Structure formats: structure tokens, C-alpha cells
Amino acid sequence: MKPMTAGGKRTATDRAEGARPSAKRAIAGRLSWGLADQAVCSMNNFAVGIYVARSLGVTAFGVFSLAWVTYGVVLNVSRGLATDPLMVRFSGVSAASWRAAVARCSGTALGVGAALGAACLMVGAGLGGRVGPAFACLGVVLPALLLQDAWRFAFFAAGTGRKAFVNDLVWAVALVPAMVLAARVDSVPAFVLAWGASAAVPAVYGCVQSRIRPRLTGVREWLREHRDLGSRYLVENVSNSGASQLRAYGLGAIVGVGAVGVVRGAELLLGPFLALLMGLSLVTVAEAARVLRRAPHRLGRFCLLLGGAQAAAALLWGAALLLMPGRFGELVLGDVWHSSSQLIVPVTLGVAGAGLGTGAAAGLRALAAARRSLRSQLIASACYVIGGLGGAAVAGTAGSAWGVAAATVGGSAVWWLHLRSALRERHRNPIREVRTP
């Protein structure tokens, strides 16, 4: 037992030593809920993709995948304008500040969903054919999808990841009857509607969990207050998801829509890690911001451990996929398996590279180094598009996959170089403006 002072009180050193395990347990607890939530989110995305792939076949699944990557772009617009600033500036603040921020942030996400949903409706009506109806249906369900995502960010900013986990679990339950009904119709629009409409259940439940209603009247105020971060994060996020969309559209034009389905099938095999990367900022940016406030000298090591663990896990998963019997793959993906299985190695390397880069990205977000993170993302996105489309032009679907793998590894190096520079700048200039109302 530690000795006490004459008055029977523990010294400051004793209290500090006792606080360290508590702080570590708190971080471990928040990360555990983050991993649990991402596991549910991953399973949701994986189950939807597998179910649609088996139900529709390669070409129709390619159309569904085009709607999916378009949703990814819209999701990143919402995150850049609404939830990314929330994570950076309202993680670990007072309950009153958090509640006021979440009301405006969720209202912003809902407003983005309504505005871009209307745009998707118009684009879908103009396109017609097989793709148009899928885009129109996506426009209908975008507000619910974006509001549900906003609640997850809000709960992690408050350090209550358990609520995000429950919210995603509610969505998983709602997906089951929705997918069954869509299978009876057996069309791409039906699956898009079922997937998005089921998100309305957890979107409404998030209001009950938080006891907060989205404030659409606070959208302009939120955008004005956080335009220094929001504008850069918007460009950064859209360049990321937009690169995936350009690659998908370009691959469809160069090789054919079926090739988009083949690539998406290969990505589904690594679905848990891709979904983890998509929603990584739910946990890592908030935790990196906490590390920065409490122990700034540990931020670099935290980011390295984070990125390295993800890269290693992706490589292990890819190795397991290579050893998986072919008949099991056919059971999972149906007719899509034969073509998609040829892309396991390059897709695995690409996911591992992306996982390593997200560690550095979390550090730059925590440092609020928006200029550096924007520059890193623009370079990485440009490499992604060039590698994906250049590879497709040279060697078809396989060439595109290898081109993306090389581009992702190179982009990860860019992220880490910028984080190293940002950490050096902070070491030279330790006094920085911190905006946490």
C-alpha cells in the first residue's frame, strides 16, 4: 500500500498514479464500444451487399453499387460540414455545450440530406434507364441515412459509444424485414428504398436516445461558426469519396458496368475493414483529440499504433480469404465470386494501405491541421483516380485493382509525412488556439 501523509491524505503523486489506470480503462472502454459499433455497422453493410449481390446478379449489382458510392459522396459532404467539426471541437466538453452543438449539427446533416436528396431525385428522373430509378430512390432516403450517421458521431463525441452501438443495432433489426420485402420485388430500386428506409427507424430513435431534436434553424449558424474547418473538411471528404465514384463511373465506361459489380464484390469480402475505415473518425478523432489535450507527446505513437493495427488486421483477413474454399465463396457471393476472388490480393493491399493512413489522418484532424489534411487527401485522391482508371485502361478490372492498391499505399505515405511535419510545428509552437465552448 502507498504511504500517506501525516494527515492521512494521499499525495498528488499517488493520486496521479491512481488516475493513470482509470484513464486507460476509460479509453479502452470507449474504443471497445467503438469497435463494437463498427462491428455492427460492418455487418449491416456486409449483409446488405451480400444479399443484393446474390439476389440481383453482376450487372444489376453494379447499378446498386453506383448508387452506393454516390451515397458515400453525400455522406462525406454531411460529415465535412456537420459532424467532423463536432468531433474536433465538442469531444469531451460540457453537457450543455454538447447538447447545443448536437442540435445544430444534426439539423445540418438533415438539411444536407434534404438538399442533396432533391438533387438525386432530379438526376434520377433525367437519367432514366436502369440507373435513373436507383438514384431517384436514393434521393428519397438520404435524409434518414444522414441523420442516423449524425447521431453516431454525436454519441462518440460525448464518450457514450454504447448509445451509438444500440442505434446501429436497431438499424440491423429494421433491415431484416426491409430486405425480405425488397427481395419479393426483386429490383435495384426496391433494395435501395429498403436499405435507406430502414435507417429512418434508428434516425428517429436517436432523437429519443439523446433527447435532442435536430434544429434546422441552426444550420446557417453552425456553418458560419465552423466554416474554417467545415470548408476544408468538405473538400477533403468529397475528394475522398468522389475519387471512388469517379473510379466506379470510369471503370464502368472503360470495362463495363459488370466490372463495377466485380470490384464491389471483392471489396465486400473485406467489408468489415472497409466499413471500419469509413466510420473510423467516430472513435479515433475523438480519442486523438483527448490524447492531444492530456498528453500531447503521445499523439504520434497513438496514431502509429492505430494505423499499424488496422493494416495488420486487414492483411490477416486477406490471407484468410485466400485460404477460403471456393464453394464457400460461391455461397456468399453467388455468381459474383468467380470474378471477384481474382482481386483479393490487390484489394487487401489497398485496404491495408488505407488503414495505415487513417492513423495519420486522425492525428491531423485532432491537431485541427485542416490545410495539411486537405493537401494530403487531394494528393491521395488524385493518385487513386489515376491508378484506378489508368490500370483499367491498361489491364481491365484487375489492372484497376492493382493501380488502386499502389495509389493507396503511396497516399498513406503522404499522410504520414504531413503528420510528422504537423507534430514538429506543434513542438516548436506549443501554444495554439483551442476553441471548445
Side-chain angles (χ1 to χ4, degrees), residues 80-163:
L81 293 176
T83 51
D84 283 344
L86 178 79
M87 295 296 283
V88 172
R89 289 180 170 157
F90 295 93
S91 292
V93 299
S94 67
S97 295
W98 176 82
R99 291 182 64 84
V102 169
R104 290 175 291 153
C105 167
S106 58
T108 301
L110 192 58
V112 170
L116 295 184
C120 280
L121 274 170
M122 291 187 290
V123 170
L127 283 175
R130 303 186 67 174
V131 178
F135 273 70
C137 291
L138 177 64
V140 172
V141 298
L142 274 178
L145 287 165
L146 298 191
L147 181 58
Q148 191 275 336
D149 186 70
W151 291 129
R152 298 171 67 220
F153 274 82
F155 294 139
F156 277 108
T160 55
R162 177 180 57 84
K163 291 184 177 181

Side-chain angles (χ1 to χ4, degrees), residues 32-45 79 152 156 165 168 271-272 274-283:
S32 296
W33 280 117
L35 290 173
D37 175 72
Q38 287 305 321
V40 175
C41 182
S42 300
M43 289 307 299
N44 285 353
N45 293 337
R79 288 180 175 179
R152 298 171 67 220
F156 277 108
F165 170 78
D168 267 327
L274 290 172
L276 182 67
L277 293 176
M278 181 180 289
L280 193 64
S281 57
L282 290 171
V283 183

Side-chain angles (χ1 to χ4, degrees), residues 221-316:
E221 180 185 0
W222 178 265
L223 294 177
R224 183 177 63 251
E225 287 182 358
H226 305 288
R227 62 180 180 273
D228 59 326
L229 293 183
S231 59
R232 290 192 174 94
Y233 289 160
L234 171 64
V235 176
E236 180 182 329
N237 290 355
V238 171
S239 69
N240 180 23
S241 55
S244 298
Q245 191 174 23
L246 286 175
R247 186 256 185 132
Y249 290 164
L251 183 61
I254 295 170
V255 184
V257 177
V260 181
V262 171
V263 170
R264 176 61 184 156
E267 292 173 345
L268 277 174
L269 295 173
L270 285 103
F273 297 100
L274 290 172
L276 182 67
L277 293 176
M278 181 180 289
L280 193 64
S281 57
L282 290 171
V283 183
T284 55
V285 174
E287 290 305 322
R290 290 185 177 96
V291 170
L292 181 63
R293 289 190 179 100
R294 297 170 183 172
H297 62 284
R298 295 180 179 174
L299 180 61
R301 184 173 60 182
F302 173 82
C303 294
L304 183 60
L305 288 173
L306 177 69
Q310 288 184 96
L315 291 173
L316 288 173

Side-chain angles (χ1 to χ4, degrees), residues 11-108:
T11 65
T13 301
D14 295 334
R15 289 194 299 271
E17 290 179 355
R20 288 193 192 103
S22 298
K24 289 180 179 179
R25 282 195 297 269
I27 292 175
R30 288 190 295 268
L31 287 175
S32 296
W33 280 117
L35 290 173
D37 175 72
Q38 287 305 321
V40 175
C41 182
S42 300
M43 289 307 299
N44 285 353
N45 293 337
F46 183 73
V48 169
I50 294 300
Y51 197 76
V52 176
R54 287 184 56 82
S55 301
L56 298 178
V58 175
T59 302
F61 184 55
V63 175
F64 181 85
S65 298
L66 291 177
W68 184 282
V69 297
T70 302
Y71 157 69
V73 174
V74 176
L75 180 66
N76 279 299
V77 170
S78 175
R79 288 180 175 179
L81 293 176
T83 51
D84 283 344
L86 178 79
M87 295 296 283
V88 172
R89 289 180 170 157
F90 295 93
S91 292
V93 299
S94 67
S97 295
W98 176 82
R99 291 182 64 84
V102 169
R104 290 175 291 153
C105 167
S106 58
T108 301

